[in-house]
Coordinates of all heavy atoms in Angstrom, one line a residue:
T278 N -6.8 6.6 -15.1 CA -6.5 6.1 -13.7 C -6.2 7.3 -12.8 O -5.3 8.1 -13.2 CB -5.4 5.1 -13.7 OG1 -5.7 4.0 -14.5 CG2 -5.1 4.5 -12.3
V279 N -6.8 7.4 -11.7 CA -6.6 8.5 -10.7 C -5.9 7.9 -9.5 O -6.3 6.9 -8.9 CB -8.0 9.1 -10.3 CG1 -7.8 10.1 -9.2 CG2 -8.7 9.6 -11.4
V280 N -4.8 8.5 -9.2 CA -4.0 8.1 -8.0 C -4.4 9.1 -6.9 O -4.3 10.3 -7.1 CB -2.5 8.1 -8.2 CG1 -1.8 7.9 -6.9 CG2 -2.2 7.0 -9.1
L281 N -4.9 8.6 -5.8 CA -5.5 9.4 -4.7 C -4.8 9.1 -3.3 O -5.3 8.3 -2.6 CB -7.0 9.1 -4.6 CG -7.8 9.9 -3.7 CD1 -7.7 11.4 -4.0 CD2 -9.2 9.4 -3.6
P282 N -3.7 9.8 -3.0 CA -3.0 9.5 -1.8 C -3.5 10.4 -0.6 O -2.8 11.0 0.2 CB -1.5 9.9 -2.1 CG -1.6 11.0 -3.1 CD -2.9 10.6 -3.9
I283 N -4.8 10.6 -0.6 CA -5.5 11.4 0.4 C -6.5 10.6 1.1 O -7.3 9.8 0.4 CB -6.1 12.7 -0.2 CG1 -5.1 13.5 -0.9 CG2 -6.9 13.5 0.9 CD1 -5.7 14.6 -1.7
T284 N -6.6 10.6 2.4 CA -7.6 9.8 3.1 C -9.0 10.1 2.7 O -9.3 11.3 2.4 CB -7.5 10.0 4.7 OG1 -7.7 11.4 5.0 CG2 -6.1 9.6 5.2
L285 N -9.8 9.1 2.7 CA -11.2 9.3 2.2 C -12.1 10.0 3.2 O -13.2 10.4 2.8 CB -11.8 7.9 1.8 CG -11.1 7.2 0.7 CD1 -11.7 5.9 0.4 CD2 -11.0 8.1 -0.5
N286 N -11.7 10.2 4.4 CA -12.5 10.9 5.4 C -12.3 12.4 5.2 O -12.9 13.2 5.9 CB -12.2 10.5 6.8 CG -10.8 10.8 7.3 OD1 -9.9 11.0 6.5 ND2 -10.6 10.7 8.6
H287 N -11.5 12.8 4.3 CA -11.2 14.2 4.0 C -12.1 14.6 2.7 O -12.1 13.8 1.8 CB -9.7 14.5 3.7 CG -9.4 15.9 3.6 ND1 -9.6 16.7 2.5 CD2 -8.8 16.7 4.5 CE1 -9.2 17.9 2.7 NE2 -8.7 18.0 3.9
S288 N -12.6 15.8 2.7 CA -13.5 16.2 1.5 C -12.7 16.1 0.2 O -13.3 15.9 -0.8 CB -14.1 17.5 1.8 OG -13.1 18.5 1.9
M289 N -11.4 16.4 0.3 CA -10.6 16.4 -0.9 C -10.5 15.0 -1.5 O -10.6 14.8 -2.7 CB -9.2 16.9 -0.6 CG -8.2 16.8 -1.8 SD -8.4 18.1 -3.0 CE -7.0 17.8 -4.0
G290 N -10.3 14.0 -0.6 CA -10.2 12.6 -1.0 C -11.5 12.1 -1.5 O -11.6 11.5 -2.6
M291 N -12.6 12.3 -0.8 CA -13.9 11.7 -1.2 C -14.6 12.6 -2.2 O -15.0 12.1 -3.3 CB -14.8 11.5 0.0 CG -16.1 10.9 -0.3 SD -16.0 9.3 -1.2 CE -15.7 8.2 0.2
G292 N -14.7 13.9 -1.9 CA -15.5 14.8 -2.8 C -14.8 15.0 -4.1 O -15.4 14.7 -5.2
F293 N -13.6 15.5 -4.1 CA -12.9 15.8 -5.4 C -12.4 14.5 -6.0 O -12.5 14.4 -7.2 CB -11.8 16.8 -5.2 CG -12.2 18.2 -5.0 CD1 -12.1 18.8 -3.8 CD2 -12.6 18.9 -6.1 CE1 -12.4 20.2 -3.6 CE2 -13.0 20.2 -5.9 CZ -12.9 20.9 -4.7
G294 N -11.8 13.6 -5.2 CA -11.1 12.5 -5.8 C -12.0 11.4 -6.2 O -12.2 11.1 -7.4
V295 N -12.6 10.7 -5.3 CA -13.4 9.5 -5.6 C -14.7 9.9 -6.4 O -15.0 9.2 -7.4 CB -13.8 8.7 -4.3 CG1 -14.8 7.6 -4.6 CG2 -12.6 8.2 -3.7
M296 N -15.4 10.9 -6.0 CA -16.7 11.2 -6.7 C -16.4 11.6 -8.1 O -17.1 11.2 -9.0 CB -17.4 12.3 -5.9 CG -17.9 11.8 -4.5 SD -18.8 10.3 -4.5 CE -20.4 10.9 -5.1
A297 N -15.4 12.4 -8.4 CA -15.1 12.8 -9.7 C -14.6 11.6 -10.6 O -15.0 11.5 -11.7 CB -13.9 13.9 -9.7
A298 N -13.9 10.7 -10.0 CA -13.4 9.5 -10.8 C -14.6 8.6 -11.1 O -14.7 8.1 -12.2 CB -12.4 8.8 -10.0
L299 N -15.5 8.4 -10.1 CA -16.7 7.6 -10.4 C -17.6 8.2 -11.4 O -18.1 7.5 -12.3 CB -17.4 7.3 -9.1 CG -16.7 6.5 -8.0 CD1 -17.6 6.5 -6.7 CD2 -16.4 5.1 -8.5
E300 N -17.7 9.5 -11.4 CA -18.6 10.2 -12.3 C -18.1 10.0 -13.8 O -18.8 9.9 -14.7 CB -18.7 11.7 -12.0 CG -19.5 12.5 -12.9 CD -21.0 12.1 -13.0 OE1 -21.5 11.6 -12.0 OE2 -21.6 12.4 -14.0
S301 N -16.7 10.0 -13.9 CA -16.2 9.9 -15.2 C -15.9 8.4 -15.6 O -15.5 8.2 -16.8 CB -14.9 10.7 -15.3 OG -13.9 10.1 -14.5
G302 N -16.0 7.5 -14.7 CA -15.8 6.1 -15.0 C -14.3 5.7 -14.9 O -13.9 4.6 -15.4
A303 N -13.5 6.5 -14.2 CA -12.1 6.2 -14.1 C -11.8 5.3 -12.9 O -12.6 5.1 -12.0 CB -11.3 7.5 -13.8
T304 N -10.7 4.6 -13.0 CA -10.3 3.7 -11.9 C -9.6 4.6 -10.8 O -8.9 5.5 -11.2 CB -9.2 2.7 -12.4 OG1 -9.9 1.9 -13.4 CG2 -8.7 1.8 -11.3
V305 N -9.8 4.3 -9.6 CA -9.2 5.0 -8.5 C -8.2 4.1 -7.8 O -8.5 2.9 -7.5 CB -10.2 5.5 -7.4 CG1 -9.6 6.1 -6.2 CG2 -11.3 6.4 -8.0
V306 N -7.0 4.5 -7.6 CA -5.9 3.8 -6.9 C -5.6 4.5 -5.6 O -5.3 5.7 -5.6 CB -4.7 3.7 -7.8 CG1 -3.5 3.0 -7.0 CG2 -4.9 3.0 -9.1
L307 N -5.8 3.8 -4.5 CA -5.5 4.3 -3.2 C -4.1 3.7 -2.8 O -4.1 2.6 -2.4 CB -6.6 4.0 -2.2 CG -8.0 4.4 -2.6 CD1 -9.0 3.8 -1.6 CD2 -8.1 5.9 -2.7
P308 N -3.0 4.4 -2.9 CA -1.7 3.8 -2.8 C -1.4 3.4 -1.3 O -0.5 2.6 -1.1 CB -0.7 4.9 -3.3 CG -1.5 6.1 -3.3 CD -2.9 5.8 -3.4
S309 N -2.0 4.1 -0.3 CA -1.6 3.8 1.0 C -2.7 4.3 2.0 O -3.4 5.3 1.6 CB -0.3 4.6 1.4 OG 0.0 4.5 2.7
P310 N -2.9 3.7 3.1 CA -3.9 4.2 4.1 C -3.6 5.6 4.6 O -4.5 6.3 5.0 CB -3.9 3.2 5.2 CG -3.0 2.1 4.8 CD -2.2 2.5 3.6
T311 N -2.4 6.0 4.6 CA -2.0 7.3 4.9 C -1.1 7.9 3.8 O -0.5 7.1 3.1 CB -1.1 7.3 6.2 OG1 0.0 6.5 6.0 CG2 -1.9 6.8 7.4
P312 N -1.1 9.2 3.6 CA -0.2 9.8 2.5 C 1.2 9.3 2.6 O 1.8 9.5 3.7 CB -0.4 11.3 2.7 CG -1.7 11.5 3.4 CD -1.8 10.2 4.3
D313 N 1.7 8.8 1.6 CA 3.1 8.3 1.5 C 3.6 8.5 0.1 O 3.1 7.9 -0.8 CB 3.1 6.8 1.9 CG 4.5 6.2 1.9 OD1 5.0 6.0 0.8 OD2 5.0 6.0 2.9
A314 N 4.7 9.3 0.0 CA 5.2 9.7 -1.3 C 5.8 8.6 -2.1 O 5.5 8.5 -3.3 CB 6.2 10.8 -1.1
A315 N 6.5 7.7 -1.4 CA 7.1 6.5 -2.1 C 6.0 5.6 -2.7 O 6.1 5.2 -3.9 CB 8.0 5.7 -1.2
E316 N 5.0 5.4 -2.0 CA 3.9 4.5 -2.5 C 3.1 5.3 -3.5 O 2.5 4.6 -4.5 CB 3.0 4.0 -1.3 CG 3.7 3.0 -0.4 CD 2.8 2.4 0.6 OE1 1.6 2.2 0.3 OE2 3.4 2.1 1.7
T317 N 2.9 6.6 -3.4 CA 2.3 7.4 -4.4 C 3.0 7.3 -5.7 O 2.4 7.1 -6.8 CB 2.1 8.8 -3.9 OG1 1.3 8.8 -2.7 CG2 1.5 9.7 -5.0
L318 N 4.3 7.5 -5.7 CA 5.1 7.4 -6.9 C 5.0 6.0 -7.5 O 4.9 5.9 -8.7 CB 6.6 7.8 -6.6 CG 7.5 7.7 -7.8 CD1 7.0 8.6 -8.9 CD2 8.9 8.1 -7.3
D319 N 5.1 5.0 -6.7 CA 5.0 3.6 -7.2 C 3.6 3.4 -7.9 O 3.6 2.8 -9.0 CB 5.1 2.6 -6.0 CG 5.1 1.2 -6.4 OD1 6.0 0.9 -7.3 OD2 4.3 0.4 -6.0
A320 N 2.6 3.9 -7.3 CA 1.2 3.8 -8.0 C 1.2 4.6 -9.3 O 0.6 4.1 -10.2 CB 0.2 4.3 -7.0
L321 N 1.7 5.8 -9.3 CA 1.8 6.6 -10.5 C 2.4 5.9 -11.6 O 2.0 5.9 -12.8 CB 2.5 7.9 -10.3 CG 1.7 9.0 -9.4 CD1 2.7 10.1 -9.0 CD2 0.5 9.6 -10.2
L322 N 3.5 5.2 -11.3 CA 4.3 4.5 -12.3 C 3.6 3.2 -12.7 O 3.4 2.9 -13.9 CB 5.7 4.2 -11.8 CG 6.6 5.5 -11.7 CD1 7.8 5.1 -10.9 CD2 6.9 6.1 -13.0
N323 N 3.3 2.3 -11.7 CA 2.7 1.0 -12.0 C 1.4 1.0 -12.6 O 1.0 0.1 -13.4 CB 2.8 0.2 -10.7 CG 4.2 -0.2 -10.3 OD1 5.1 -0.3 -11.2 ND2 4.4 -0.4 -9.1
Y324 N 0.5 2.0 -12.3 CA -0.8 2.0 -12.8 C -0.9 3.0 -14.0 O -2.0 3.2 -14.5 CB -1.8 2.4 -11.7 CG -2.0 1.3 -10.7 CD1 -1.2 1.3 -9.5 CD2 -2.9 0.3 -10.9 CE1 -1.4 0.3 -8.6 CE2 -3.0 -0.7 -9.9 CZ -2.3 -0.7 -8.8 OH -2.4 -1.7 -7.8
E325 N 0.2 3.5 -14.4 CA 0.2 4.5 -15.6 C -0.8 5.5 -15.4 O -1.6 5.8 -16.3 CB 0.1 3.7 -16.9 CG 1.2 2.7 -17.1 CD 1.1 1.9 -18.4 OE1 0.0 2.0 -19.0 OE2 2.0 1.3 -18.8
A326 N -0.9 6.2 -14.2 CA -1.9 7.1 -13.9 C -1.9 8.3 -14.8 O -0.9 8.8 -15.2 CB -1.7 7.6 -12.4
T327 N -3.1 8.8 -15.0 CA -3.3 10.0 -15.8 C -3.6 11.3 -15.0 O -3.4 12.4 -15.4 CB -4.4 9.8 -16.9 OG1 -5.6 9.4 -16.2 CG2 -4.0 8.8 -17.9
I328 N -4.1 11.0 -13.8 CA -4.5 12.1 -12.9 C -4.0 11.8 -11.5 O -4.0 10.7 -11.0 CB -6.1 12.2 -12.8 CG1 -6.7 12.4 -14.2 CG2 -6.5 13.3 -11.8 CD1 -6.4 13.8 -14.8
L329 N -3.5 12.9 -10.8 CA -3.0 12.9 -9.4 C -3.8 13.9 -8.6 O -3.9 15.0 -9.0 CB -1.5 13.2 -9.4 CG -0.9 13.4 -8.0 CD1 -1.0 12.1 -7.2 CD2 0.5 13.9 -8.1
F330 N -4.4 13.4 -7.5 CA -5.0 14.3 -6.5 C -4.1 14.2 -5.3 O -3.9 13.1 -4.7 CB -6.4 13.8 -6.1 CG -7.4 14.0 -7.1 CD1 -7.5 13.3 -8.3 CD2 -8.4 14.9 -6.9 CE1 -8.4 13.5 -9.3 CE2 -9.4 15.2 -7.8 CZ -9.4 14.5 -9.0
A331 N -3.5 15.3 -4.8 CA -2.5 15.2 -3.7 C -2.7 16.5 -2.9 O -3.3 17.5 -3.2 CB -1.1 15.1 -4.3
D332 N -2.0 16.4 -1.7 CA -1.9 17.6 -0.8 C -0.5 18.1 -0.9 O 0.4 17.4 -1.5 CB -2.3 17.3 0.6 CG -1.4 16.2 1.3 OD1 -0.3 16.0 0.8 OD2 -1.9 15.7 2.3
S333 N -0.3 19.3 -0.4 CA 1.0 19.9 -0.5 C 2.1 19.2 0.1 O 3.3 19.2 -0.3 CB 0.9 21.4 0.0 OG 0.6 21.4 1.3
H334 N 1.8 18.4 1.2 CA 2.9 17.7 1.9 C 3.4 16.5 1.1 O 4.6 16.3 1.0 CB 2.3 17.2 3.3 CG 1.8 18.2 4.1 ND1 2.5 19.2 4.7 CD2 0.5 18.5 4.5 CE1 1.8 20.1 5.3 NE2 0.5 19.6 5.2
T335 N 2.4 15.8 0.5 CA 2.8 14.7 -0.4 C 3.6 15.2 -1.6 O 4.6 14.6 -2.0 CB 1.6 13.9 -0.9 OG1 0.9 13.4 0.3 CG2 2.0 12.7 -1.8
L336 N 3.2 16.3 -2.2 CA 3.9 16.9 -3.4 C 5.3 17.3 -3.0 O 6.2 17.1 -3.8 CB 3.1 18.0 -4.0 CG 3.7 18.4 -5.3 CD1 3.5 17.3 -6.4 CD2 3.1 19.7 -5.8
E337 N 5.4 17.9 -1.8 CA 6.8 18.3 -1.4 C 7.7 17.1 -1.3 O 8.9 17.2 -1.7 CB 6.7 19.0 0.0 CG 6.2 20.4 -0.1 CD 6.0 21.0 1.3 OE1 6.6 20.5 2.3 OE2 5.3 22.0 1.4
S338 N 7.2 16.0 -0.8 CA 8.0 14.8 -0.7 C 8.3 14.2 -2.1 O 9.4 13.8 -2.4 CB 7.3 13.7 0.1 OG 7.2 14.2 1.4
L339 N 7.3 14.3 -3.0 CA 7.5 13.8 -4.4 C 8.6 14.7 -5.1 O 9.4 14.2 -5.8 CB 6.2 13.8 -5.2 CG 5.2 12.7 -4.8 CD1 3.9 13.0 -5.4 CD2 5.8 11.3 -5.2
Q340 N 8.5 16.0 -4.8 CA 9.5 16.9 -5.5 C 10.9 16.6 -5.0 O 11.8 16.7 -5.7 CB 9.1 18.4 -5.2 CG 7.9 18.9 -6.0 CD 7.4 20.2 -5.5 OE1 7.5 20.6 -4.4 NE2 6.9 21.0 -6.5
W341 N 11.0 16.3 -3.7 CA 12.3 16.0 -3.1 C 12.8 14.7 -3.8 O 14.0 14.6 -4.1 CB 12.2 15.8 -1.6 CG 13.6 15.5 -1.0 CD1 14.5 16.4 -0.7 CD2 14.1 14.2 -0.8 NE1 15.6 15.7 -0.2 CE2 15.4 14.4 -0.2 CE3 13.6 12.9 -0.9 CZ2 16.2 13.3 0.1 CZ3 14.4 11.8 -0.6 CH2 15.7 12.0 0.0
M342 N 11.9 13.7 -4.0 CA 12.3 12.5 -4.7 C 12.7 12.7 -6.1 O 13.5 11.9 -6.7 CB 11.2 11.5 -4.6 CG 10.9 11.0 -3.2 SD 9.3 10.1 -3.1 CE 9.9 8.5 -3.8
N343 N 12.3 13.8 -6.7 CA 12.6 14.2 -8.1 C 13.5 15.4 -8.2 O 13.5 16.2 -9.1 CB 11.3 14.5 -8.9 CG 11.5 14.7 -10.3 OD1 12.4 14.1 -10.9 ND2 10.8 15.6 -10.9
K344 N 14.4 15.5 -7.2 CA 15.3 16.7 -7.1 C 16.2 16.9 -8.3 O 16.6 18.0 -8.6 CB 16.1 16.7 -5.8 CG 17.0 15.6 -5.6 CD 17.6 15.6 -4.2 CE 18.3 14.3 -3.9 NZ 18.7 14.2 -2.5
D345 N 16.5 15.8 -9.0 CA 17.3 15.9 -10.2 C 16.5 16.3 -11.4 O 17.0 16.6 -12.5 CB 18.1 14.6 -10.5 CG 17.1 13.4 -10.7 OD1 15.9 13.6 -10.8 OD2 17.7 12.3 -10.8
G346 N 15.2 16.3 -11.3 CA 14.3 16.8 -12.4 C 14.1 15.8 -13.5 O 13.6 16.1 -14.6
L347 N 14.6 14.6 -13.3 CA 14.6 13.6 -14.4 C 13.4 12.7 -14.4 O 13.2 11.8 -15.3 CB 15.8 12.7 -14.3 CG 17.2 13.5 -14.5 CD1 18.3 12.6 -14.3 CD2 17.2 14.2 -15.8
M348 N 12.5 12.8 -13.4 CA 11.3 11.9 -13.3 C 10.4 12.1 -14.6 O 10.1 13.2 -14.9 CB 10.5 12.2 -12.1 CG 9.4 11.2 -11.8 SD 8.5 11.5 -10.3 CE 9.8 11.4 -9.1
R349 N 10.0 11.0 -15.2 CA 9.1 11.0 -16.3 C 7.9 10.2 -16.1 O 8.0 9.0 -15.8 CB 9.9 10.5 -17.6 CG 11.0 11.3 -18.0 CD 10.6 12.7 -18.4 NE 11.8 13.6 -18.7 CZ 12.1 14.6 -17.9 NH1 11.5 14.9 -16.8 NH2 13.2 15.3 -18.1
L350 N 6.8 10.8 -16.2 CA 5.5 10.1 -16.0 C 4.7 10.4 -17.3 O 3.9 11.3 -17.3 CB 4.8 10.6 -14.8 CG 5.5 10.4 -13.5 CD1 4.9 11.2 -12.3 CD2 5.5 8.9 -13.1
P351 N 4.9 9.7 -18.4 CA 4.4 10.0 -19.7 C 2.9 10.0 -19.7 O 2.3 10.6 -20.6 CB 5.0 9.0 -20.6 CG 5.4 7.8 -19.7 CD 5.7 8.5 -18.4
N352 N 2.2 9.3 -18.8 CA 0.7 9.2 -18.9 C 0.1 10.3 -18.1 O -1.1 10.5 -18.2 CB 0.3 7.8 -18.4 CG 0.8 6.8 -19.3 OD1 0.6 6.8 -20.5 ND2 1.5 5.8 -18.8
L353 N 0.8 10.9 -17.2 CA 0.2 11.9 -16.3 C -0.2 13.1 -17.1 O 0.5 13.7 -17.8 CB 1.2 12.3 -15.2 CG 0.6 13.1 -14.0 CD1 -0.5 12.3 -13.3 CD2 1.7 13.5 -13.1
R354 N -1.5 13.5 -16.9 CA -2.1 14.7 -17.7 C -2.4 15.9 -16.8 O -2.6 17.0 -17.3 CB -3.3 14.2 -18.4 CG -3.1 13.1 -19.4 CD -2.3 13.6 -20.6 NE -2.1 12.5 -21.5 CZ -0.9 11.9 -21.7 NH1 0.1 12.2 -20.9 NH2 -0.8 10.9 -22.6
G355 N -2.6 15.6 -15.5 CA -2.9 16.8 -14.6 C -3.4 16.3 -13.3 O -3.2 15.1 -12.9
G356 N -4.1 17.1 -12.6 CA -4.7 16.8 -11.3 C -5.0 18.0 -10.4 O -4.9 19.1 -10.9
L357 N -5.3 17.7 -9.2 CA -5.6 18.7 -8.2 C -4.6 18.7 -7.1 O -4.2 17.6 -6.7 CB -7.0 18.5 -7.6 CG -8.1 18.7 -8.6 CD1 -9.5 18.5 -7.9 CD2 -8.1 20.1 -9.2
L358 N -4.2 19.8 -6.6 CA -3.3 19.9 -5.4 C -3.9 20.8 -4.3 O -4.2 22.0 -4.6 CB -2.0 20.6 -5.9 CG -0.9 20.8 -4.8 CD1 -0.5 19.5 -4.2 CD2 0.2 21.6 -5.4
K359 N -4.1 20.2 -3.2 CA -4.7 20.9 -2.0 C -3.5 21.7 -1.4 O -2.5 21.2 -0.9 CB -5.2 19.9 -1.0 CG -5.8 20.5 0.2 CD -7.2 21.1 -0.1 CE -7.9 21.6 1.2 NZ -9.1 22.3 0.9
I360 N -3.7 23.1 -1.5 CA -2.6 24.0 -1.0 C -3.0 24.7 0.3 O -2.1 25.4 0.9 CB -2.2 25.0 -2.1 CG1 -3.4 25.9 -2.4 CG2 -1.6 24.3 -3.3 CD1 -3.0 27.1 -3.3
G361 N -4.2 24.6 0.7 CA -4.7 25.3 1.9 C -6.1 25.0 2.2 O -6.7 24.2 1.6
S362 N -6.7 25.8 3.2 CA -8.0 25.5 3.6 C -9.0 26.1 2.5 O -8.7 27.0 1.8 CB -8.3 26.1 4.9 OG -8.1 27.5 4.9
G363 N -10.2 25.6 2.6 CA -11.3 26.0 1.6 C -11.3 25.2 0.4 O -10.5 24.3 0.2
E364 N -12.2 25.6 -0.5 CA -12.4 24.8 -1.7 C -12.3 25.7 -2.9 O -12.9 25.4 -4.0 CB -13.8 24.1 -1.7 CG -13.9 23.1 -0.6 CD -15.3 22.4 -0.5 OE1 -16.2 22.8 -1.3 OE2 -15.4 21.5 0.3
A365 N -11.5 26.8 -2.8 CA -11.3 27.7 -4.0 C -10.6 26.9 -5.1 O -9.4 26.6 -4.9 CB -10.6 28.9 -3.6
L366 N -11.2 26.6 -6.1 CA -10.6 25.8 -7.2 C -10.0 26.7 -8.2 O -10.6 27.6 -8.8 CB -11.7 24.9 -7.9 CG -11.3 24.0 -9.0 CD1 -10.3 22.9 -8.4 CD2 -12.4 23.3 -9.6
G367 N -8.6 26.6 -8.4 CA -7.9 27.3 -9.3 C -7.7 28.8 -9.0 O -7.4 29.6 -9.9
A368 N -7.9 29.2 -7.7 CA -7.7 30.6 -7.3 C -6.2 31.0 -7.4 O -5.9 32.2 -7.5 CB -8.3 30.8 -5.9
E369 N -5.4 30.0 -7.2 CA -3.9 30.3 -7.3 C -3.4 29.7 -8.7 O -4.1 28.8 -9.2 CB -3.2 29.7 -6.2 CG -3.6 30.2 -4.8 CD -3.2 31.7 -4.6 OE1 -2.1 32.0 -5.1 OE2 -4.0 32.4 -4.0
P370 N -2.3 30.1 -9.2 CA -1.8 29.5 -10.4 C -1.5 28.0 -10.2 O -1.2 27.6 -9.1 CB -0.5 30.3 -10.6 CG -0.5 31.5 -9.8 CD -1.4 31.2 -8.7
P371 N -1.6 27.3 -11.3 CA -1.3 25.8 -11.3 C 0.2 25.6 -10.8 O 1.0 26.5 -11.0 CB -1.4 25.4 -12.7 CG -2.3 26.4 -13.4 CD -2.0 27.7 -12.7
V372 N 0.4 24.5 -10.1 CA 1.7 24.1 -9.6 C 2.2 23.1 -10.6 O 1.6 22.1 -10.8 CB 1.7 23.6 -8.2 CG1 3.0 23.0 -7.7 CG2 1.2 24.7 -7.2
E373 N 3.4 23.3 -11.1 CA 4.0 22.3 -12.1 C 4.8 21.3 -11.3 O 5.6 21.6 -10.5 CB 4.8 23.0 -13.1 CG 5.2 22.0 -14.2 CD 5.8 22.6 -15.4 OE1 5.2 23.7 -15.9 OE2 6.8 22.1 -16.0
W374 N 4.5 20.0 -11.7 CA 5.3 18.9 -11.2 C 5.4 17.8 -12.2 O 4.4 17.5 -12.9 CB 4.6 18.3 -9.9 CG 5.4 17.1 -9.4 CD1 6.6 17.2 -8.8 CD2 5.1 15.8 -9.5 NE1 7.1 15.9 -8.5 CE2 6.1 15.0 -8.9 CE3 4.0 15.1 -10.0 CZ2 6.1 13.6 -8.9 CZ3 4.0 13.7 -10.0 CH2 5.0 13.0 -9.4
A375 N 6.6 17.3 -12.5 CA 6.9 16.3 -13.5 C 6.3 16.7 -14.8 O 5.8 15.9 -15.6 CB 6.3 14.9 -13.0
G376 N 6.4 18.0 -15.1 CA 6.0 18.5 -16.5 C 4.5 18.6 -16.6 O 4.0 18.8 -17.8
V377 N 3.8 18.6 -15.5 CA 2.3 18.7 -15.6 C 1.8 19.8 -14.6 O 2.3 19.9 -13.5 CB 1.7 17.3 -15.2 CG1 0.2 17.4 -15.2 CG2 2.1 16.3 -16.2
G378 N 0.8 20.5 -15.1 CA 0.3 21.5 -14.2 C -0.8 20.9 -13.3 O -1.7 20.3 -13.8
L379 N -0.7 21.1 -12.0 CA -1.8 20.7 -11.1 C -2.6 21.9 -10.6 O -2.1 22.8 -10.1 CB -1.1 20.0 -9.9 CG -0.2 18.8 -10.2 CD1 0.5 18.3 -8.9 CD2 -1.0 17.7 -10.8
T380 N -3.9 21.8 -10.8 CA -4.8 22.8 -10.4 C -4.9 22.9 -8.9 O -5.0 21.9 -8.3 CB -6.2 22.6 -11.0 OG1 -6.1 22.5 -12.5 CG2 -7.2 23.7 -10.6
T381 N -4.8 24.1 -8.4 CA -4.8 24.3 -6.9 C -6.2 24.3 -6.4 O -7.2 24.7 -7.0 CB -4.1 25.6 -6.5 OG1 -4.8 26.7 -7.1 CG2 -2.7 25.6 -7.0
V382 N -6.3 23.8 -5.1 CA -7.6 23.8 -4.4 C -7.3 24.4 -3.0 O -6.3 24.1 -2.4 CB -8.1 22.4 -4.2 CG1 -9.4 22.4 -3.3 CG2 -8.4 21.7 -5.5
G383 N -8.1 25.4 -2.6 CA -7.9 26.1 -1.3 C -7.1 27.3 -1.5 O -6.7 27.7 -2.6
R384 N -6.8 28.0 -0.4 CA -6.0 29.2 -0.4 C -4.9 29.0 0.6 O -5.1 28.5 1.7 CB -6.9 30.4 0.1 CG -7.9 30.7 -0.9 CD -8.4 32.1 -0.8 NE -9.5 32.4 -1.6 CZ -9.4 32.9 -2.9 NH1 -8.2 33.0 -3.4 NH2 -10.4 33.1 -3.7
P385 N -3.7 29.4 0.2 CA -2.5 29.2 1.1 C -2.7 30.0 2.4 O -3.3 31.0 2.4 CB -1.3 29.7 0.3 CG -1.8 30.3 -0.9 CD -3.3 30.0 -1.0
R386 N -2.2 29.5 3.5 CA -2.3 30.2 4.8 C -1.3 31.3 4.9 O -0.4 31.5 4.4 CB -2.1 29.2 5.9 CG -3.2 28.1 5.8 CD -3.1 27.2 7.0 NE -4.2 26.3 6.9 CZ -4.2 25.0 7.0 NH1 -3.1 24.4 7.3 NH2 -5.3 24.3 6.9

């Protein structure tokens, strides 16, 4: 299950998120019409998501929600994190969140 808190009119949401999930046969969960960390976390937990596609703003909010470091998402295996403009996949080191490395997309500004 892929949780995708990115609008579908963005290439990250449609291109990387939906198209990759459809190609692999995965379920796509769109937690909110706009990026919302609380709804994203709810979807990650309730749908036992294995993949997260997120942008840096959503991840910052999720990190704040996990400031004690105790959040456990046992099914989460990885995902992509949009960190800047462009489509450079993995050009920067992975960003760790909830014990999982998220592959970066783009270049920081």
Side-chain angles (χ1 to χ4, degrees):
T278 301
V279 175
V280 171
L281 183 64
I283 300 171
T284 59
L285 297 182
N286 64 343
H287 190 283
S288 62
M289 174 82 173
M291 183 56 82
F293 282 109
V295 173
M296 298 304 287
L299 292 176
E300 178 67 25
S301 68
T304 300
V305 177
V306 176
L307 306 171
S309 173
T311 59
D313 181 283
E316 290 188 32
T317 298
L318 180 58
D319 186 55
L321 286 165
L322 294 167
N323 289 330
Y324 291 94
E325 299 178 348
T327 55
I328 302 291
L329 170 64
F330 286 71
D332 63 18
S333 58
H334 306 292
T335 302
L336 189 69
E337 286 174 17
S338 295
L339 288 168
Q340 287 173 327
W341 183 85
M342 294 170 74
N343 186 34
K344 59 186 170 192
D345 60 7
L347 299 177
M348 187 179 302
R349 297 293 173 253
L350 300 166
N352 297 306
L353 193 62
R354 301 289 179 257
L357 293 180
L358 175 64
K359 182 75 170 171
I360 61 168
S362 61
E364 296 181 357
L366 184 62
E369 299 293 321
V372 173
E373 187 164 321
W374 178 72
V377 175
L379 302 175
T380 301
T381 60
V382 178
R384 295 200 183 273
R386 296 184 176 134

